[in-house]
Amino acid sequence: MRHRYSILFFPLHVIIDFLSLNTAFVGAYWIKFQTLEAVSEAPYASLWWLFNVIWLVEILVLKPYIYPRQLFKSGHLVRQLLLLTFIHVAIIAVCWIAIQGYYYSREHLLITYIFFLALGAIFRIGGVLFLKEYRARGYNNRRYIIVGYGKLANTIRAFYDVHPEMGFHFCGYFDEPTVENSEFLRGEYEGLIDYIRTNHIDCVYCCMPYMDNERLKSIAENAETFDYQVKILVDFRGFLARSTSIEYHDVLPVLNLSSGLLSDFRVSILKRSFDIVFSLLALILGIPLFLLIAAITRITSTGPIFYAQERIGQGGKPFKIYKFRSMYVDAEKTGPVLSGGLLDNRITPWGRFMRKTRLDEIPQFYNVLIGDMSVVGPRPERQYFIDQIVEIAPEYRSLLSVKPGITSIGQIKYGYAASIDEMVQRLRYDLLYPKRRSFLFDMWIIAQTLRVMAQGRGK
């Protein structure tokens, strides 16, 4: 018989909690009064019954013992116990005030809840540890198959392979056979339902990128008949925003992938206000330094002091970025070329020093002031290189949702990139920024940038 043990978890959980609650109540009474003779008499008999009735109502209303195997973890169960106990305490407190039951010992109540939490936590943690070991040995398993073979299918299988304590036993892939997948398949769609019935499959994972709605409909319609669960997998990796939410248009659920953080008005206003103040102070107070750098740039090599180049900003909008010139004139006369690092022979000796100390980036405070850039943000690139980066790492497009910056995590941790591969490696750092953007995080990046400049460790 399938699930012959799983059906016992719910009543066992209920019984253990009631035993813990009553043991705690009686034990606390003995500790407080050193006797058990009057615990079943008025007035404590009424309180004892009230304890049990309230806990029963919580179980019936909140259904706290119904959860998937993925949530059967010590931390989740203990947090749930704390929540249920808090609700229980609150209701008892209201009843205590309503009946003016000041004759009940508050010390007894405190000890009761401490004992109950201790017993409940011990049983939950012990039960989870036992069940993990029990399932890891091959018992109490759920048999599952995956319909639709591909990367997403391999991901869900790998997840259960590294978590044997969840008790999911893989029974095969099903899909239309192709040259690429034929060696991995257990069977085709035509034999799927027969396989589920004869092999007592408990769960069917359907990978939507690799199967159509008609197949899914057929699988779902047979689920009740043959007693199996249907779970749908959709691959949102690479573009799923942190603040994703579900909106309902009448009865139609719509997944909103727009990040609430990036459109948050207060965050945007605070960041822009800081950019204006900071860039103004940098431009005004840095005038003596600017003049010195400009003079040395002019003296050490022939050509203009400043260098302007088109970059791609927020939303894909092009703008002119300004720097102190660190290369010889006509360094890119044959077309766009990435810098080869500090050893690039196109860089002037003075330019190497400016790059190591980030001094060549100072004119970009003007870009910040006029709104093309921010003090902190992913470094802007040219369209020529963006096209190549996107072919390797499509997630780069997410960086265009925020303003580019003078400094970034990638600049601190990686520095200048001398090839497309290095740009992709630096991208891994910059991709953290849109997800973690905040004023304090910006301050941390600025502090790290100042440290790099002072130590001359830029590259």
Side-chain angles (χ1 to χ4, degrees):
M1 181 179 177
R2 296 165 67 186
H3 320 315
R4 59 185 181 277
Y5 299 122
S6 297
I7 199 173
L8 299 177
F9 290 159
F10 177 80
L12 185 62
H13 206 157
V14 173
I15 291 170
I16 287 175
D17 275 352
F18 270 107
L19 286 175
S20 299
L21 185 67
N22 287 278
T23 300
F25 187 92
V26 174
Y29 189 91
W30 185 85
I31 291 175
K32 172 61 180 175
F33 301 108
Q34 298 297 307
T35 180
L36 294 178
E37 292 181 2
V39 68
S40 58
E41 300 175 1
Y44 276 90
S46 300
L47 181 62
W48 193 357
W49 277 103
L50 185 61
F51 259 64
N52 285 275
V53 169
I54 292 174
W55 191 258
L56 178 61
V57 171
E58 284 192 73
I59 292 174
L60 295 176
V61 174
L62 301 178
K63 299 179 175 60
Y65 306 133
I66 301 175
Y67 33 69
R69 291 191 176 204
Q70 292 80 358
L71 292 179
F72 196 77
K73 300 177 182 179
S74 300
H76 174 77
L77 296 180
V78 171
R79 286 193 297 271
Q80 189 182 61
L81 174 64
L82 289 171
L83 176 61
L84 292 172
T85 305
F86 175 80
I87 295 173
H88 196 277
V89 171
I91 297 174
I92 286 291
V94 171
C95 295
W96 187 31
I97 294 172
I99 64 174
Q100 296 184 351
Y102 306 118
Y103 38 83
Y104 291 122
S105 169
R106 285 172 289 185
E107 185 179 349
H108 167 256
L109 292 174
L110 177 61
I111 297 173
T112 297
Y113 284 117
I114 291 175
F115 271 18
F116 176 60
L117 286 173
L119 290 171
I122 290 171
F123 278 121
R124 280 163 171 78
I125 295 172
V128 169
L129 293 176
F130 168 78
L131 200 54
K132 282 184 176 181
E133 181 63 24
Y134 187 67
R135 287 172 175 169
R137 292 176 180 270
Y139 302 103
N140 188 233
N141 280 333
R142 295 288 177 89
R143 300 165 62 84
Y144 76 98
I145 60 174
I146 301 175
V147 182
Y149 180 80
K151 290 184 178 179
L152 191 60
N154 288 328
T155 299
I156 189 63
R157 180 185 177 182
F159 172 78
Y160 285 126
D161 284 347
V162 298
H163 292 286
E165 73 278 2
M166 290 187 179
F168 279 78
H169 176 69
F170 179 64
C171 294
Y173 297 107
F174 282 78
D175 203 342
E176 293 289 354
T178 63
V179 176
E180 293 79 11
N181 68 18
S182 58
E183 62 179 299
F184 303 103
L185 300 184
R186 174 76 65 177
E188 302 178 26
Y189 286 121
E190 284 69 21
L192 177 62
I193 300 302
D194 286 338
Y195 185 88
I196 291 173
R197 184 183 67 253
T198 57
N199 291 275
H200 305 296
I201 299 301
D202 301 298
C203 186
V204 178
Y205 281 92
C206 299
C207 299
M208 288 307 293
Y210 320 123
M211 62 181 299
D212 56 40
N213 287 336
E214 288 302 317
R215 301 286 188 187
L216 176 61
K217 182 180 178 182
S218 173
I219 293 170
E221 287 176 347
N222 285 281
E224 187 173 348
T225 303
F226 299 113
D227 189 24
Y228 62 85
Q229 293 181 324
V230 179
K231 298 187 179 182
I232 301 175
L233 295 174
V234 182
D235 195 353
F236 293 118
R237 294 170 298 180
F239 64 91
L240 193 61
R242 183 173 72 176
S243 300
T244 299
S245 59
I246 295 179
E247 301 172 351
Y248 284 91
H249 296 184
D250 198 2
V251 295
L252 181 67
V254 178
L255 193 62
N256 179 12
L257 298 180
S258 302
S259 173
L261 176 64
L262 299 182
S263 61
D264 186 86
F265 181 76
R266 291 174 298 176
V267 171
S268 299
I269 289 296
L270 179 61
K271 186 173 177 64
R272 182 59 185 152
S273 300
F274 172 79
D275 285 343
I276 293 173
V277 173
F278 193 91
S279 57
L280 276 175
L281 289 174
L283 291 171
I284 295 171
L285 300 178
I287 288 177
L289 178 61
F290 301 159
L291 294 175
L292 177 61
I293 295 173
I296 298 176
T297 303
R298 174 58 64 85
I299 293 170
T300 54
S301 64
T302 303
I305 295 171
F306 298 103
Y307 174 69
Q309 188 180 73
E310 185 177 278
R311 298 289 176 95
I312 302 301
Q314 186 177 23
K317 180 181 178 182
F319 70 97
K320 289 287 186 180
I321 192 174
Y322 297 97
K323 296 184 178 185
F324 282 117
R325 182 177 54 82
S326 60
M327 289 187 174
Y328 293 107
V329 176
D330 296 331
E332 288 191 334
K333 59 183 178 182
T334 60
V337 180
L338 283 170
S339 170
L342 295 178
L343 298 179
D344 192 329
N345 57 16
R346 298 175 301 157
I347 302 176
T348 66
W350 169 242
R352 289 190 179 90
F353 174 79
M354 286 197 296
R355 288 192 171 212
K356 289 182 68 175
T357 56
R358 299 284 196 266
L359 294 176
D360 61 322
E361 312 281 2
I362 290 178
Q364 290 164 37
F365 282 111
Y366 172 72
N367 290 112
V368 175
L369 189 62
I370 63 176
D372 290 332
M373 296 177 63
S374 180
V375 175
V376 177
R379 290 296 295 164
E381 297 294 345
R382 285 175 276 182
Q383 188 65 56
Y384 176 83
F385 296 119
I386 290 176
D387 293 340
Q388 298 179 61
I389 294 172
V390 168
E391 290 183 4
I392 302 173
E395 59 269 29
Y396 177 86
R397 293 189 183 94
S398 66
L399 295 184
L400 298 179
S401 64
V402 296
K403 279 187 180 180
I406 296 177
T407 186
S408 68
I409 310 175
Q411 283 289 90
I412 296 168
K413 299 292 186 181
Y414 198 90
Y416 293 102
S419 67
I420 295 297
D421 287 339
E422 290 188 0
M423 294 176 83
V424 172
Q425 292 178 39
R426 186 177 66 186
L427 166 69
R428 306 304 176 192
Y429 294 105
D430 283 336
L431 281 172
L432 298 172
Y433 184 72
K435 299 177 182 179
R436 298 178 57 186
R437 193 181 71 151
S438 69
F439 182 74
L440 291 178
F441 192 43
D442 283 4
M443 295 301 100
W444 179 84
I445 293 175
I446 290 172
Q448 296 300 312
T449 303
L450 294 174
R451 180 174 59 83
V452 170
M453 293 176 65
Q455 294 175 351
R457 295 193 297 104
K459 70 180 185 69

